[in-house]
Amino acid sequence: ACQAWARARRLVPWRPAERARAHAWQAYYVLAAGLTVLCLSESARMQRELRRLQEIPETLTWHSLMITLIACALCGLLVLLARAVRLGTRRLIQGLGRYVPRPFAVVAGLLISATAVVFGTRDVVFDRGIVDIAARVAETTNQGTKDGIFRSGSPYVSGGPRSLVNWDDLGYEGRNFTGSVLTPSRITSVTGRPAKPPVRVYVGRQSADGYEEAARLAVAELERTGGFRRDVLAIAGTTGMGWVNSTDAEPLEYLHGGDTAIVAAQYSYLPSWVSFLVDKEQAGRANRALVEAVRGRWLREPEERRPKLVVFGESLGAYGIEAAFDGADDLLAKVDGAVLAGSPNFSPIRNEITERRAPGSPVWRPEYEKGRNFRFAQWPRKDLARPGGAWERPRVVYLQNASDAIVWWSWDLALNRPEWVRDPLGPDITTEVDWFPFVTFWQTTVDMAVSYGVDAPHGHRYGTGSVEAWAAVAPPSDWSRADLRHLKRFMEAREAPY
């Protein structure tokens, strides 16, 4: 074995002369400096074009300097880690070489080192490091309450008087949602119409043991508050720690004068980005239990007195709602409408519709069965009018921005060219965008982290698109276009409660 190793080393005896090596390094430094300047310049130009498309001021402050500093820091960290791994591997091979022939020591050392790096990164650094720390921080946050949020005095709200759910058990996001409930006077001041106190039912992670028990408790709360006797009953999908977007919930309550009931349940303590990576299946199981329990009780109401049953969710909450149904037809068969915003790439119903879209319709605005029940919109006022055929009920609106990285991110980006970079590109996607193996994956991953850094309707910001979406899915009986425009202006100007 040792002789074979020596012969293998003699197969590549050549080594460049010192002078040639010096010239090669000089050429490298000159070319690297030139290419760095060129790449930074091109990056700034592309960013200005992208900012123009997304209606952001084109001025870039410290752009090139920030990229340079971040790149140098990452490079230094990676080099440090690589050299640490190399040093450790060498020491391991040297130790094994005392007991086995050198070739076997090399192979065994490399395999052990590679295994330690892969499993150590996943189990120790990610699962027991990043995820564990994030979970501990999130669980501590879950015990708090946002400044300005207080326990509601409404008997129609979970955590309020006579509620079956304790205020302290609602969790951070549950207290935000129930503590910011609209009052009849607030609704009337905006709409000019009489209003009822809205029903908001929420079950926190600490309120029940298991998803089925949480769903049963939610149904009991709906019965207590009279939620099954309202005009509209909405099931909300939550994200991560249990967030329900107030900008999705409030327009429904304004449109129907508070004659609404919204029910939601927290399924995790983890923040959304962690749930997105490691815990998304829990969202599907929790929402399926909630949908089945609420719908089962809803079906017991006399048909002529049942409220409209609708579902909604944003981001991971939209995925959770989709995962509660067995496909597009099942969704249409079981509810009276849906509003889903920023559904992630792994959302099953959205994928089904996109894959079966009409030939020629782009992936970022798919046309499915001539828009009979499903329609996609980035600018709802004009997008929901397309295609021009009949829009039947039940209606499902997808608010989907072409530039939303969360919508398009997937592991497949590393090796497969996605359809969203093919012509025609989305209205806020620069023509400079292209796909490169691995590079596009990491670019999109970074874009997810900054997808809230733009204004709606771009990135992962959907703003007040839910106003038009709800008006299409669950329209009030006596609202004019002027009334809708007034509500939209109010929602755009108002400060979100949490």
Side-chain angles (χ1 to χ4, degrees):
C2 292
Q3 291 177 354
W5 176 256
R7 284 196 296 268
R9 293 194 63 179
R10 286 197 297 271
L11 291 176
V12 190
W14 179 80
R15 178 180 176 85
E18 290 298 326
R19 185 180 182 86
R21 294 177 65 196
H23 287 320
W25 278 111
Q26 289 170 357
Y28 165 77
Y29 288 129
V30 171
L31 289 173
L35 287 173
T36 299
V37 172
L38 177 62
C39 289
L40 288 173
S41 175
E42 282 296 294
S43 174
R45 184 183 63 80
M46 292 171 62
Q47 283 296 318
R48 289 190 182 94
E49 171 66 12
L50 187 60
R51 292 168 74 90
R52 183 187 66 78
L53 291 172
Q54 298 189 4
E55 303 170 287
I56 304 174
E58 295 182 25
T59 302
L60 295 175
T61 304
W62 306 107
H63 174 270
S64 299
L65 179 60
M66 287 179 60
I67 289 180
T68 303
L69 292 175
I70 292 172
C72 288
L74 287 174
C75 181
L77 177 61
L78 291 174
V79 169
L80 180 64
L81 291 173
R83 292 193 173 180
V85 171
R86 185 179 67 178
L87 178 60
T89 304
R90 283 180 174 177
R91 295 286 177 84
L92 178 61
I93 291 173
Q94 290 173 357
L96 292 173
R98 298 172 185 172
Y99 307 100
V100 297
R102 172 81 175 173
F104 293 111
V106 171
V107 173
L110 291 175
L111 288 176
I112 294 172
S113 180
T115 302
V117 169
V118 171
F119 287 96
T121 300
R122 190 192 70 180
D123 296 344
V124 178
V125 176
F126 190 72
D127 289 347
R128 300 182 187 178
I130 296 174
V131 173
D132 189 54
I133 292 172
R136 291 177 184 274
V137 172
E139 190 167 0
T140 301
T141 302
N142 193 61
Q143 306 303 320
T145 304
K146 181 179 173 61
D147 291 342
I149 298 293
F150 302 98
R151 182 173 181 264
S152 173
S154 171
Y156 300 99
V157 172
S158 292
R162 299 190 297 277
S163 174
L164 303 177
V165 181
N166 293 326
W167 168 257
D168 292 336
D169 293 339
L170 287 172
Y172 180 79
E173 296 295 355
R175 286 188 286 274
N176 289 342
F177 178 62
T178 59
S180 62
V181 64
L182 299 176
T183 62
S185 59
R186 177 67 180 273
I187 296 174
T188 298
S189 69
V190 174
T191 66
R193 294 171 169 83
K196 294 181 177 181
V199 170
R200 287 192 181 182
V201 166
Y202 193 98
V203 177
R205 191 77 175 85
Q206 296 174 301
S207 305
D209 295 326
Y211 301 140
E212 286 72 21
E213 184 177 334
R216 288 193 293 270
L217 181 57
V219 169
E221 272 284 85
L222 284 172
E223 291 175 331
R224 180 189 69 82
T225 56
F228 292 103
R229 295 189 296 275
R230 295 300 178 111
D231 187 39
V232 178
L233 170 58
I235 302 172
T238 61
T239 68
M241 290 176 61
W243 178 70
V244 178
N245 192 349
S246 64
T247 310
D248 295 336
E250 289 183 2
L252 182 66
E253 294 169 334
Y254 281 118
L255 286 168
H256 291 272
D259 196 8
T260 57
I262 300 176
V263 57
Q266 179 189 17
Y267 66 87
S268 175
Y269 295 126
L270 295 175
S272 295
W273 67 270
V274 179
S275 293
F276 185 89
L277 294 174
V278 302
D279 202 33
K280 61 180 180 291
E281 292 79 10
Q282 303 299 325
R285 288 194 282 269
N287 279 280
R288 181 176 285 269
L290 182 62
V291 168
E292 289 178 351
V294 171
R295 187 173 182 274
R297 174 61 181 80
W298 172 79
L299 287 171
R300 287 162 47 192
E301 292 291 314
E303 188 171 356
E304 65 277 6
R305 295 212 308 264
R306 287 179 196 158
K308 296 182 183 69
L309 181 62
V310 297
V311 292
F312 72 96
E314 184 169 322
S315 194
L316 199 56
Y319 160 77
I321 288 295
E322 289 194 35
F325 299 92
D326 297 323
D329 292 339
D330 189 49
L331 174 65
L332 296 178
K334 290 182 176 178
V335 300
D336 296 312
V339 174
L340 303 170
S343 297
N345 185 266
F346 46 76
S347 301
I349 296 178
R350 172 180 162 270
N351 282 343
E352 175 188 345
I353 294 169
T354 302
E355 290 170 3
R356 296 168 59 186
R357 69 187 186 278
S361 65
V363 68
W364 43 268
R365 195 74 70 246
E367 179 184 319
Y368 177 70
E369 295 184 345
K370 299 182 179 180
R372 187 176 63 201
N373 298 104
F374 294 86
R375 298 198 177 185
F376 289 72
Q378 182 165 350
W379 287 273
R381 184 176 178 182
K382 63 177 182 179
D383 290 341
L384 292 180
R386 298 188 297 227
W391 194 6
E392 300 176 5
R393 301 188 186 281
R395 294 177 174 180
V396 178
V397 169
Y398 276 90
L399 298 176
Q400 179 169 288
N401 297 336
S403 57
D404 187 351
I406 290 176
V407 168
W408 308 120
W409 183 90
S410 73
W411 295 106
D412 290 343
L413 280 175
L415 298 174
N416 298 306
R417 183 183 182 87
E419 292 191 65
W420 53 268
V421 299
R422 304 180 190 273
D423 290 331
L425 294 175
D428 53 351
I429 300 294
T430 174
T431 54
E432 302 286 349
V433 71
D434 204 347
W435 176 80
F436 297 95
F438 297 105
V439 174
T440 303
F441 168 80
W442 286 112
Q443 286 179 326
T444 308
T445 302
V446 173
D447 284 345
M448 286 200 302
V450 296
S451 58
Y452 282 100
V454 293
D455 294 328
H458 306 288
H460 201 52
R461 294 279 191 179
Y462 290 90
T464 59
S466 55
V467 173
E468 291 99 335
W470 280 126
V473 170
S477 58
D478 57 349
W479 277 58
S480 65
R481 289 185 178 273
D483 294 328
L484 285 176
R485 287 194 296 270
H486 172 70
L487 177 59
K488 189 170 180 70
R489 286 194 296 270
F490 168 78
M491 291 298 298
E492 289 172 345
R494 75 88 156 93
E495 181 178 354
Y498 56 89

